[in-house]
């Protein structure tokens, strides 16, 4: 199974500042035949189901603000949130869909400093 | 807009079978474009993918749960279901149903807390 490890477990950032979350996979999730990374990022606000933010490591979903961006390839990925807003307080998960079973990171809790 | 809603199984006793149904509205589960998925989240913990079913009935399961899990669908009711046998307290979690479109979980139910307790 592919193990996804996020860091840090929790993060406190001031409003208007940048938040950076790291995600590492135990094996590469880059499919070389199409050069796509099979990795997504989800946001989960308290009491809500997860919401897709980014797929293919860097493609924002249609209604996601452009202050959210994803980067990385292979085994190392980053979610960056620029100009942090109060509504960004949430848990963030990375998820690989390169191989079964699909697996998620343990989550990163983002709070306002 | 597609909406998914998990049923309420009530309290489930240890060693019994947990049964959940997800009712889909705003779209047909028979559309040959989507997988229909179950994910769970124990209290204060992360997300665990349980498995999925396609329109044809093809299923994929998490190997760690495979021996206890079955996912089925009822196209006439626009529903898909999860059965989880021999449950223990460790299976207490919020269970989500979701739609998977080309690897993306794009629509989710609100989730249903299932408590396993005697």
């Amino acid at each position: 199974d592919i193990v996804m490890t996020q860091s840090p477990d929790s993060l406190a950032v001031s409003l208007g500042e940048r938040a950076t979350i790291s995600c590492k996979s135990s094996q590469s999730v880059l499919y070389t035949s199409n050069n796509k990374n099979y990795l997504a990022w989800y946001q989960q606000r308290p009491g809500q189901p997860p919401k897709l933010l980014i797929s293919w490591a860097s493609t924002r979903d249609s209604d996601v603000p452009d202050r959210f961006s994803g980067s990385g390839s292979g085994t190392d990925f980053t979610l960056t949130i620029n100009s942090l807003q109060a509504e960004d307080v949430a848990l963030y998960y990375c998820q690989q869909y390169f191989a079964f079973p699909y697996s998620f990171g343990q989550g990163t809790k983002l709070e306002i400093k | 807009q597609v909406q998914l809603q998990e049923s309420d199984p009530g309290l489930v006793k240890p060693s019994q079978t947990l049964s959940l149904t997800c009712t889909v509205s705003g779209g047909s589960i028979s559309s040959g474009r989507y997988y229909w998925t179950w994910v769970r989240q124990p209290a204060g913990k992360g997300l665990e993918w349980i498995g999925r079913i396609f329109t044809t009935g093809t299923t994929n399961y998490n190997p760690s749960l495979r021996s206890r899990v079955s996912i089925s669908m009822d196209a006439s009711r626009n529903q898909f279901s999860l059965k989880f046998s021999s449950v223990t307290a460790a299976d207490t979690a919020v269970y989500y149903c979701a739609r998977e479109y080309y690897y993306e979980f794009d629509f989710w139910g609100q989730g249903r807390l299932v408590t396993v307790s005697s």
Side-chain angles (χ1 to χ4, degrees):
Chain A
D1 294 5
I2 298 177
V3 176
M4 308 299 289
T5 304
Q6 293 179 226
S7 61
D9 290 334
S10 63
L11 181 63
V13 175
S14 301
L15 289 172
E17 297 299 307
R18 176 183 298 166
T20 302
I21 299 171
S22 172
C23 174
K24 294 183 186 296
S25 56
S26 60
Q27 64 187 75
S28 176
V29 298
L30 172 65
Y31 193 36
T32 53
S33 66
N34 60 11
N35 200 36
K36 286 192 169 192
N37 288 284
Y38 283 52
L39 182 115
W41 288 95
Y42 289 85
Q43 175 194 64
Q44 187 178 33
R45 293 188 174 116
Q48 295 294 315
K51 175 185 183 301
L52 178 67
L53 293 176
I54 288 169
S55 56
W56 307 111
S58 60
T59 303
R60 259 192 320 275
D61 201 33
S62 56
D63 63 346
V64 175
D66 61 6
R67 63 177 183 276
F68 290 88
S69 63
S71 62
S73 185
T75 61
D76 291 274
F77 301 90
T78 300
L79 173 69
T80 302
I81 309 169
N82 287 310
S83 188
L84 190 74
Q85 306 294 304
E87 63 262 31
D88 300 334
V89 168
L91 279 162
Y92 292 85
Y93 294 94
C94 60
Q95 179 238 335
Q96 66 81 19
Y97 43 90
F98 181 85
F100 290 129
Y102 293 165
S103 52
F104 295 84
Q106 80 277 17
T108 295
K109 185 176 184 180
L110 177 60
E111 299 172 310
I112 304 297
K113 186 187 291 183
Chain B
Q1 181 84 338
V2 172
Q3 292 185 319
L4 296 87
Q5 178 65 60
E6 301 88 352
S7 62
D8 184 358
L11 187 66
V12 182
K13 290 181 166 44
S15 80
Q16 289 188 339
T17 295
L18 180 168
S19 296
L20 279 165
T21 295
C22 183
T23 301
V24 179
S25 57
S28 171
I29 67 167
S30 299
S31 168
R33 301 173 67 188
Y34 309 110
Y35 283 91
W36 303 95
T37 296
W38 290 96
V39 174
R40 70 178 182 177
Q41 185 172 34
K45 295 188 178 181
L47 299 160
E48 181 177 33
W49 180 77
I50 298 171
R52 67 180 190 176
I53 187 166
F54 190 58
T55 307
T56 56
T58 299
T59 53
N60 302 101
Y61 297 113
N62 190 323
S64 68
L65 304 171
R66 176 65 184 91
S67 63
R68 299 195 291 133
V69 170
S70 175
I71 298 174
S72 59
M73 62 192 302
D74 183 341
S76 66
R77 298 189 177 194
N78 223 34
Q79 296 175 331
F80 63 105
S81 298
L82 170 71
K83 288 192 185 301
F84 214 123
S85 64
S86 306
V87 295
T88 70
D91 296 312
T92 294
V94 174
Y95 285 75
Y96 294 99
C97 58
R99 188 181 82 169
E100 179 189 341
Y101 174 59
Y102 198 45
Y103 303 105
E104 299 175 356
F105 298 135
D106 57 355
F107 289 97
W108 296 68
Q110 278 300 113
R112 184 69 70 178
L113 175 61
V114 177
T115 301
V116 178
S117 174
S118 55

